[in-house]
Amino acid sequence: MVYLDHAATTPMLAQAVEAMTAELGQVGNASSLHSSGRRARRIVEESRETIAAALGTRPSEVVFTSGGTEADNLAIKGLYWSRHRADSRRRRVLISAIEHHAVLDPAAWLGESAGAEVTLLDVDQHGRLDPETLRAAIGDDPGGIALISVMWANNEVGTVQPIPELAEIAAGYGIPLHTDAVQAVGKLPISLSGGVDALTVSGHKLGGPLGVGALLLARGVADPVPVLHGGGQERDVRSGTLDTPAIAGFAAAVRFAVEHREATAARLTALRDDLVARVRQAVPDVILNGHPGDRLPGNAHFSFPGCEGDALLMLLDAKGVECSTGSACSAGVAQPSHVLLAMGADAVRARGSLRFSLGHTSTAADVDELVRVIPGVVERARRAGVG
Amino acid sequence: MTLRVLAAMSGGVDSAVAAARIAEAGHDVTGVHLALSKNPQSYRTGARGCCTVEDSRDARRAADVIGIPFYIWDMAERFHHDVVEDFVSEYAAGRTPNPCLRCNEKIKFEAVLDRALALGFDAVATGHYARVTADGTLSRAVDPVKDQSYVLGVLTREQLGRAMFPLGDTPKAAVREEAARRGLFVADKPDSHDVCFIADGDTRGFLRERLGPAAGPIVDSTGEVIGSHDGAYAYTVGQRKGLGVGRTPDGRPRYVLSIEPVSNTVTVGSREMLEVTEITAERPIWSGLRVPPATPITCGVQLRAHGEAYGCRVVLDGGRIRIALDRSASGVAAGQAAVFYDGDVVLGSATISAAT
Ligand SMILES: Cc1ncc(COP(=O)(O)O)c(C=O)c1O
């Protein structure tokens, strides 16, 4: 099997498996006062410290969640609610047009049911948000803005956003900026600094377990109103008994991924560049989507003219090559990707696209195999056409 | 020989067992669920139709149990154009269409089959109860109650050559048992019946919404106007209930005899007048014969889904067909298919245009 879908989820690192399995047989609720509880709490707090250290923040700024989706929801809804509660003029939510649905949909929901006014910030043909676009959207009414959210790197086309510049603009107006860094941690130098107020991390995208993540919340930002109410375990911002084994595995993965980031990025960039060059050779009219240089190391995203992404994916799957069309499903029916449409692609080009994403277990042999099968697959898909 | 087979999986029992059987026979099977609506909620919900989110999940779960790859193909546009719009325009033209038959003809064994062949598949399998014989003709299923050869009667010999119906030799009850034995949780799902794209089952309401009100007369067979309607499309030949003609001149019930779209007239008459023996049909397809019959043939004919078979004599008259029934049939509606049988074997089909 050739697994080229690491952006969907990547295998757990050995360090994470070890840290997690060591905890699976243990008893203890991190909120309990007895010694089993204390033992569990120690694991949780050490994990929190590990993650804080790796991401340039303080332990108290790490809020564990059930993953990226929950962290994004907490950031978007929670910060909107708390900022709006503090000043009812704050109704506007500015997000980029290419956010993951975990940001897009909570924002849309706020628009539909909480009176928020959501602005989708346009991106250029490479999927990049120009800081001036943000400045213009803030306009002359910064006091009416509840929050800004722009992802660090896009999950589909891999384009990296100019987060430091955007954060500086937001900070200049005192508007909190959230960034979904799910795809970026362990691949790019990430930290909660320079005006970034909230940052989403997910375990399973960086070699940790599924179902765990964190929202980093900079000190000084008003606490978000909780999405999950209950025991108040995470400083009353998030409730639910903490998943000690998952958190232990998550922390081990973050530490390893961040420590080895440069070497991993260099290796994946070289492998990815090779993949892009050879796919181009094999299929000369292929279009590389996303920013030509400023993109995630392991990401290659193409449109194949005259083909449907679904057909390509099925044919590649039959040949043992696993990848993704990258587009969201609505009731199982593939919709043209909102990311590609926002980049100015037409629906046909958007539907004819595939994402190959490399990760820590990827090898040159994976690329060789893809390059070997892709010409035949594209030819077949072309015969089936775009329906 | 191992074939690459695309199994159309509706989310129901039959197509799940069909896919499982072909996979077990050693073929290389891929399951595909056809998404027929852009907005699945607008179609029938629950375990009845063929197009809901629940159905697509059931189909995927079945594919996982069988252990085959599974994909969803978006056929919504084709379905809307070839089946839904056709359904509406047929009613508007005073005919009574059969959307399931249309879906087999235009979607499953045209749009899907063409795409499957282009992608390198050899055949399309469905859970229909029918058989394709060794010489490539269509035949009735062994379970006479479930037999679906009528709704497949429009397929050409080429289409049949690429079709697989693995359930044709098995009674429905045995298929349910087999589903349970194979761990296909869909074993208890009820069969689908109604028109899948009419969410609430209200065909008249569906047509009224699309065609708008169009008032016209209800005329007795004598020519006397005895009532009015607000859309001739809401009537079907043979219909008795809901005519709203009150007490008729002779005090006997009336049945819809014909629908005339140009004058927007619904003609009604006595039960006896519904009986017909002469039928005209168009666009014949002779899937069971190598060449169209040159001389009149004597065979069986079925005039509606789950209807009985009549003996008949068929005469070709240019592009048309004249069917003389051995005994009278009632409620024969234009737009339905006449499917010809020699015993259990389907000889061909044609679309009914008139009956007297
Ligand atoms: C950019 C981005 N944000 C959020 C998520 C959701 O994260 P999780 O799977 O941990 O809920 C994903 C994963 O699909 C992602 O790629």
Side-chain angles (χ1 to χ4, degrees):
Chain A
M1 206 67 79
V2 175
Y3 187 74
L4 297 176
D5 202 12
H6 289 263
T9 195
T10 194
M12 271 176 77
L13 293 157
Q15 292 76 2
V17 173
E18 196 183 321
M20 184 167 178
T21 48
E23 285 308 308
L24 285 170
Q26 304 288 340
V27 68
N29 180 326
S31 302
S32 297
L33 300 177
H34 46 60
S35 74
S36 295
R38 285 196 297 278
R39 203 202 59 79
R41 186 156 64 252
R42 188 171 150 201
I43 300 291
V44 167
E45 294 311 321
E46 282 173 6
S47 299
R48 200 187 299 280
E49 286 156 18
T50 301
I51 291 169
L55 300 176
T57 177
R58 299 186 189 87
S60 62
E61 296 172 327
V62 177
V63 174
F64 287 117
T65 67
S66 65
T69 301
E70 190 199 325
D72 282 344
N73 271 266
L74 179 57
I76 303 299
K77 295 187 220 168
L79 287 174
Y80 176 82
W81 287 327
S82 65
R83 293 263 302 159
H84 180 65
R85 188 177 284 178
D87 181 344
S88 63
R89 286 185 311 129
R90 294 173 183 153
R91 290 194 166 279
R92 297 186 64 204
V93 176
L94 310 185
I95 63 175
S96 85
I98 57 161
E99 292 301 308
H100 189 273
H101 278 283
V103 166
L104 219 45
D105 291 18
W109 180 84
L110 286 173
E112 286 155 18
S113 52
E117 193 190 307
V118 181
T119 302
L120 297 183
L121 304 169
D122 288 340
V123 296
D124 66 15
Q125 54 167 340
H126 297 131
R128 226 167 127 92
L129 173 63
D130 183 336
E132 288 315 310
T133 304
L134 175 64
R135 205 186 288 283
I138 295 170
D140 51 11
D141 184 27
I145 297 174
L147 79 147
I148 299 166
S149 179
V150 179
M151 67 202 318
W152 203 298
N154 181 264
N155 51 299
E156 288 184 36
V157 298
T159 301
V160 178
Q161 301 299 335
I163 293 298
E165 282 112 296
L166 299 171
E168 200 183 309
I169 293 171
Y173 292 108
I175 305 166
L177 179 114
H178 165 255
T179 182
D180 175 341
V182 165
Q183 295 287 344
V185 174
K187 316 222 171 54
L188 304 170
I190 299 301
S191 73
L192 190 72
S193 61
V196 176
D197 300 294
L199 184 148
T200 294
V201 196
S202 171
H204 73 105
K205 307 281 186 178
L206 49 78
L210 295 146
V212 66
L215 181 65
L216 310 188
L217 277 170
R219 207 181 269 195
V221 178
D223 270 353
V225 171
V227 171
L228 299 180
H229 293 88
Q233 284 84 348
E234 287 290 87
R235 40 177 261 221
D236 282 340
V237 162
R238 196 269 185 186
S239 293
T241 300
L242 291 173
D243 184 345
T244 313
I247 287 170
F250 178 31
V254 171
R255 172 193 284 160
F256 186 91
V258 171
E259 261 173 22
H260 297 81
R261 181 186 63 76
E262 282 181 55
T264 308
R267 193 177 76 81
L268 293 184
T269 301
L271 210 51
R272 190 270 322 277
D273 288 348
D274 184 45
L275 185 156
V276 171
R278 289 166 68 194
V279 167
R280 274 197 168 128
Q281 233 163 41
V283 187
D285 59 349
V286 78
I287 302 163
L288 180 71
N289 296 309
H291 199 280
D294 216 354
R295 65 192 301 143
L296 287 169
N299 174 289
H301 189 285
F302 300 103
S303 287
F304 293 86
C307 300
E308 263 188 17
D310 284 352
L312 292 167
L313 183 133
M314 184 185 83
L315 293 164
L316 283 170
D317 186 13
K319 303 252 180 237
V321 176
E322 301 179 321
C323 63
S324 159
T325 56
S327 58
C329 283
S330 133
V333 176
Q335 303 292 325
S337 149
H338 68 281
V339 175
L340 288 171
L341 296 181
M343 289 161 56
D346 58 31
V348 171
R349 177 175 148 203
R351 290 234 308 269
S353 61
L354 279 188
R355 175 187 71 186
F356 302 102
S357 50
L358 304 162
H360 65 94
T361 56
S362 299
T363 63
D366 293 334
V367 176
D368 291 346
E369 183 58 13
L370 169 66
V371 171
R372 193 179 71 78
V373 300
I374 195 88
V377 162
V378 169
E379 197 201 311
R380 267 253 171 258
R382 278 203 177 130
R383 228 176 287 165
V386 284
Chain B
M1 188 178 65
T2 301
L3 298 175
R4 289 200 63 208
V5 181
L6 185 146
M9 299 180 73
S10 67
V13 188
D14 297 331
S15 55
V17 172
R21 284 187 171 188
I22 311 179
E24 195 172 74
H27 297 299
D28 182 358
V29 184
T30 296
V32 166
H33 179 77
L34 308 178
L36 301 178
S37 169
K38 288 274 180 224
N39 173 14
Q41 274 69 32
S42 69
Y43 284 5
R44 289 200 84 94
T45 50
R48 325 197 46 191
C50 45
C51 347
T52 66
V53 177
E54 185 183 329
D55 288 328
S56 79
R57 278 202 207 108
D58 287 347
R60 183 173 59 195
R61 179 78 186 102
D64 288 346
V65 171
I66 299 164
I68 54 174
F70 175 80
Y71 304 94
I72 293 175
W73 282 8
D74 182 2
M75 289 286 155
E77 258 167 55
R78 288 291 294 260
F79 186 78
H80 183 77
H81 180 263
D82 289 340
V83 180
V84 182
E85 284 182 351
D86 174 75
F87 180 82
V88 174
S89 64
E90 283 290 285
Y91 267 106
R95 292 186 289 263
T96 305
N98 183 322
C100 296
L101 184 148
R102 205 80 183 134
C103 179
N104 288 329
E105 178 188 16
K106 292 289 182 183
I107 306 299
K108 296 197 181 101
F109 293 100
E110 189 174 302
V112 173
L113 177 60
D114 287 352
R115 183 172 159 85
L117 294 177
L119 289 172
F121 289 96
D122 301 305
V124 167
T126 67
H128 284 113
Y129 286 81
R131 286 177 288 174
V132 181
T133 60
D135 66 352
T137 56
L138 183 66
S139 165
R140 287 197 194 270
V142 297
D143 185 338
V145 179
K146 282 304 294 179
D147 173 49
Q148 290 173 309
S149 56
Y150 177 85
V151 289
L152 297 164
V154 281
L155 300 188
T156 64
R157 207 180 180 86
E158 290 69 41
Q159 288 171 310
L160 289 170
R162 298 291 190 172
M164 292 171 92
F165 306 123
L167 304 188
D169 63 353
T170 314
K172 174 79 183 195
V175 170
R176 279 200 188 280
E177 269 170 40
E178 183 175 331
R181 185 159 42 74
R182 289 179 182 276
L184 296 166
F185 60 98
V186 285
D188 298 330
K189 264 181 100 165
D191 289 356
S192 54
H193 284 300
D194 305 283
V195 179
C196 71
F197 52 84
I198 301 180
D200 53 6
D202 176 12
T203 303
R204 279 186 180 205
F206 179 85
L207 291 169
R208 195 173 312 116
E209 211 172 278
R210 279 153 189 82
L211 295 170
I218 296 184
V219 175
D220 207 6
S221 51
T222 57
E224 186 188 345
V225 175
I226 58 167
S228 65
H229 63 78
D230 63 2
Y233 48 76
Y235 298 83
T236 328
V237 170
Q239 179 180 337
R240 175 187 164 186
K241 292 201 179 114
L243 296 184
V245 293
R247 225 190 119 70
T248 53
D250 58 7
R252 296 175 59 208
R254 290 293 187 270
Y255 296 81
V256 174
L257 299 181
S258 67
I259 297 142
E260 216 292 290
V262 177
S263 62
N264 195 24
T265 303
V266 174
T267 303
V268 299
S270 67
R271 166 146 191 85
E272 299 77 59
M273 299 184 79
L274 268 184
E275 303 286 330
V276 298
T277 51
E278 298 286 331
I279 296 169
T280 313
E282 293 168 346
R283 284 181 283 123
I285 291 160
W286 297 106
S287 65
L289 300 170
R290 290 279 166 205
V291 287
T295 54
I297 56 169
T298 303
C299 62
V301 65
Q302 189 176 324
L303 302 167
R304 70 170 78 108
H306 309 297
E308 55 185 316
Y310 295 83
C312 71
R313 201 174 125 85
V314 178
V315 180
L316 267 72
D317 173 7
R320 290 193 171 184
I321 288 189
R322 296 194 192 286
I323 306 161
L325 301 179
D326 288 354
R327 60 196 163 89
S328 65
S330 80
V332 175
Q336 296 275 296
V339 177
F340 306 108
Y341 290 86
D342 175 11
D344 281 350
V345 174
V346 172
L347 299 178
S349 71
T351 306
I352 296 169
S353 52
T356 51

